[in-house]
Amino acid sequence: MSVEALFNPRSIALVGATDKSGWSVSTLLNLRTHGFAGPVHLVNPRGGVVHGSPAFRSLTELPSPVDLAYVMVPTAAVLGVLEEGAKLGIGCYVILTAGFGEAGAEGARLEAEIAGFARENGLTILGPNGNGYINAAADVTPYGLPIPEPLLRGSVGVVLQSGALASSVLGFAQARNVGISLLTSMGNESVVTVTDVVDHLVDDPATRVIALFLETIRNPAEFSRVARRALVAGKPIVALKIGRSRLASHTAQAHTGALVGDDDVIDAAMRQLGVIRVRSLEDLIITSGLLAATGPLPGRRVGVVTPSGGASEIIADRAEDEGLELPPFSAATVERLAGIVPSFGTVQNPLDVTGYVLVDRTLLGRALETVAADPGIDLVMLLSEPPRIAPADPAPVLAMYETSSRRIAESPVPVVVVSNVLTDVTEFGRQVQRETGFPYVMGGIEHGLTALGAAVRWSEAHRRALAGGGPAGRAAVTGAPDGAHGVWAEHRAAALLAAAGLPVVPSETAADEAAAVAAAERFGYPVVLKAAAEGLGHKSDIGGVRLGLSGPEAVRQAYREVVAAARAHAPDAGVLIQPQRGGGIELLAGVVRDPAWGLTLAVGLGGVWVEVLRDAALRVLPVDADEVRRALSELRGAALLDGARGTEPADLDAVADVVARIAAFAESLGDDLESLEINPLLVTGSRVEALDALITWRPPPS
């Protein structure tokens, strides 16, 4: 849905305007004081004088139709306003009125009624139960709460699924000198949705960054579409998504279900889509402000220039947390810095130019120029901030910051500025930034490094998207095999995987001791003997696995023990014989269906400890081998794959290829698949082989 007309009206009617309502007072005041140039008509069924101006009794009495009706009437009267407005050709509405879907069944019925009317008549509605919006770029502010002064105009578009937090977001953005292009309080999203607004902001020339506060993602497919558009367009999306409680998957049989919680899937989806997920309102605004100022950053090699040794150490620690590199300076840079930094300073990265900056006001700037010229640096982080208190004569201060601004503007690499701690930018500080061009300052080392790490990761995702490294295409759906229902244990699951060309350890079923020994003789000792029965999931939990059997008698005894244990759970249980595999690294590769996002891949350290270690990375399908490699690099145990302690390193290309093929095969099985798990997936050098498998099919619709 296009919302261009909604956010750019030339005339507005406040329907339900009354002196008794603080919302009505604030909305009119916002329009009058923040530059809206068009007519604003007041509508009250009693007419008379409202807010010191004549009021019309209805929309029909207006001298001409308006572009936008801002609706504040009681809940039961909202539909009547829409019906009257539609007859007059009014297409856009903001409904502040509450008491709809958020209030219970009757409210939900009323909301469905107005949504249906809007669809039938082509109306664009923001809300209900929302405060409206602030289009700062166009000076249109039909917004029901007081707007903190000054309203800073900039390039951050803010979309909120919480009206109550809007004032806090505005206030903090002002405190950090971050200007907005558009702020929207979504309300119940009965017609206009978050994704509609994001779609608009991707195309909006006034917006460089999109900041989201999300309580829910109503339509994952639409969210994915607009997020990919934004990533390719170079417009970062920074999102604070609340509701991180861990809810287990519906799939109880697969280990994977214990690894995949609702919030874990959202995290994975956002990472794949290039959406920057933050954990606080402060990080939402600070990160958005940084990217609005810098755009994409060229790399993660950071040169740090500070006047504080303590700050240097904090920055070094936090840079490591964020995956940022602080490479040593080149020999030429060290030589030049040695002639700049006082003899009692140490030339290294991070660079502490010492407190001598209070004596030599040019010291920090000259060090910045030198570090920025280092060929091994992608960007410079400068510890500085605008002044807080205006002196009697501000001219010297302005001159000093103008010189700093010029050095930063002329730098061959981006320079990002961060303050020591998170404090407000004062009115004098804003004046200095405005008059000298001093750049955006991230608030505090902690939030600043969080923002910088996120900005670097987004920049890498943006470059991959431009290079065509987007998500893999969906696998062709061939559908589930006949008779696919319930749980397929290893003997059937492995056969299906092998038939699809996936690498599976050889195996044979055996109906009695003699057949088990004969199979073992064909494979050669040692062998593994496992219970085999329909619906039998975790065999090791019931004593259904015997390893390292080295002769016929060991196979016979194992057969008796395993069958006795298994038949207590599955009367028709048999056994499966496989050659013993040794060494290597055991991984898990599982696919489980998330109710919102669909099939989701979990890849991580496997074996019997998978649920204890919980070392897995998630991806929403589809994925390609490159995405799987990135997932493997996120594991805490990633060093094991590199050959830790003299073990054979894994061929990561081979592992990624097999896991991507497993994921594609899971997709090909269609909507009947609930989960597919291979645990363990044994990796020995370049040999990758499934040793055990489990498939769970979705129950048929009731």
Side-chain angles (χ1 to χ4, degrees), residues 226-526:
V226 297
R228 291 189 186 103
R229 280 196 69 217
L231 183 62
V232 172
K235 292 199 176 181
I237 296 178
V238 185
L240 173 56
K241 167 68 177 69
I242 61 170
R244 294 190 287 121
S245 58
R246 191 171 190 85
L247 300 175
S249 166
H250 292 260
T251 307
Q253 286 284 348
H255 291 95
T256 313
L259 299 174
V260 181
D262 293 356
D263 193 67
D264 301 304
V265 177
I266 291 170
D267 231 19
M270 287 189 173
R271 190 179 304 112
Q272 286 171 258
L273 294 167
V275 175
I276 300 168
R277 189 174 186 188
V278 296
R279 304 295 184 187
S280 69
L281 291 171
E282 292 86 350
D283 285 331
L284 180 69
I285 296 303
I286 291 170
T287 306
S288 297
L290 171 65
L291 280 160
T294 66
L297 295 170
R300 57 179 59 225
R301 299 175 302 171
V302 184
V304 179
V305 180
T306 87
S308 166
S312 296
E313 293 171 3
I314 298 172
I315 291 168
D317 289 343
R318 286 292 289 114
E320 184 173 305
D321 296 340
E322 295 295 332
L324 300 171
E325 300 172 14
L326 305 181
F329 295 134
S330 69
T333 300
V334 170
E335 182 179 355
R336 288 182 61 195
L337 288 173
I340 297 172
V341 176
S343 58
F344 50 85
T346 302
V347 176
Q348 61 183 22
N349 189 18
L351 176 66
D352 170 20
V353 300
T354 78
Y356 202 70
V357 292
L358 297 175
V359 177
D360 181 356
R361 296 290 186 178
T362 70
L363 176 57
L364 197 66
R366 289 186 293 132
L368 168 65
E369 286 182 337
T370 302
V371 171
D374 189 297
I377 297 297
D378 295 317
L379 59 102
V380 177
M381 179 176 177
L382 174 66
L383 203 69
S384 182
E385 59 186 303
R388 296 183 56 77
I389 300 173
D393 180 11
V397 174
L398 292 169
M400 182 177 68
Y401 275 88
E402 190 170 359
T403 300
S404 296
S405 299
R406 186 171 61 253
R407 283 194 169 107
I408 291 169
E410 294 173 353
S411 168
V413 297
V415 177
V416 297
V417 185
V418 64
S419 58
N420 277 308
V421 294
L422 179 56
T423 55
D424 291 356
V425 178
T426 65
E427 183 54 45
F428 180 61
R430 280 197 294 272
Q431 177 192 343
V432 169
Q433 288 189 282
R434 184 170 59 250
E435 293 184 12
T436 68
F438 195 75
Y440 169 73
V441 179
M442 294 184 286
I445 295 171
E446 172 65 26
H447 293 290
L449 266 296
T450 297
L452 186 56
V456 166
R457 291 189 291 275
W458 174 84
S459 301
E460 292 171 346
H462 172 57
R463 285 192 288 273
R464 285 197 299 271
L466 290 181
R474 294 278 178 189
V477 176
T478 57
D482 293 338
H485 66 274
V487 177
W488 281 18
E490 181 178 0
H491 60 295
R492 292 186 74 183
L496 185 62
L497 294 170
L502 294 166
V504 178
V505 65
S507 62
E508 290 187 25
T509 56
D512 53 39
E513 291 180 31
V517 170
E521 299 283 349
R522 284 190 290 274
F523 287 130
Y525 295 104

Side-chain angles (χ1 to χ4, degrees), residues 645-669:
R645 292 185 174 271
T647 58
E648 183 179 9
D651 182 340
L652 293 178
D653 288 334
V655 177
D657 176 69
V658 169
V659 173
R661 287 164 55 199
I662 292 167
F665 176 64
E667 281 192 287
S668 75
L669 295 175

Side-chain angles (χ1 to χ4, degrees), residues 11 61 103 116 259 391 411 603 631 671:
S11 55
E61 286 191 6
L259 299 174
S411 168
V603 59
D671 293 339

Side-chain angles (χ1 to χ4, degrees), residues 97 113 121 143 195 358 413 461 492 501 561 608 648 695:
T97 308
E113 196 172 13
N121 293 273
Y143 183 71
T195 50
L358 297 175
V413 297
R492 292 186 74 183
E561 293 172 351
V608 297
E648 183 179 9
I695 296 176

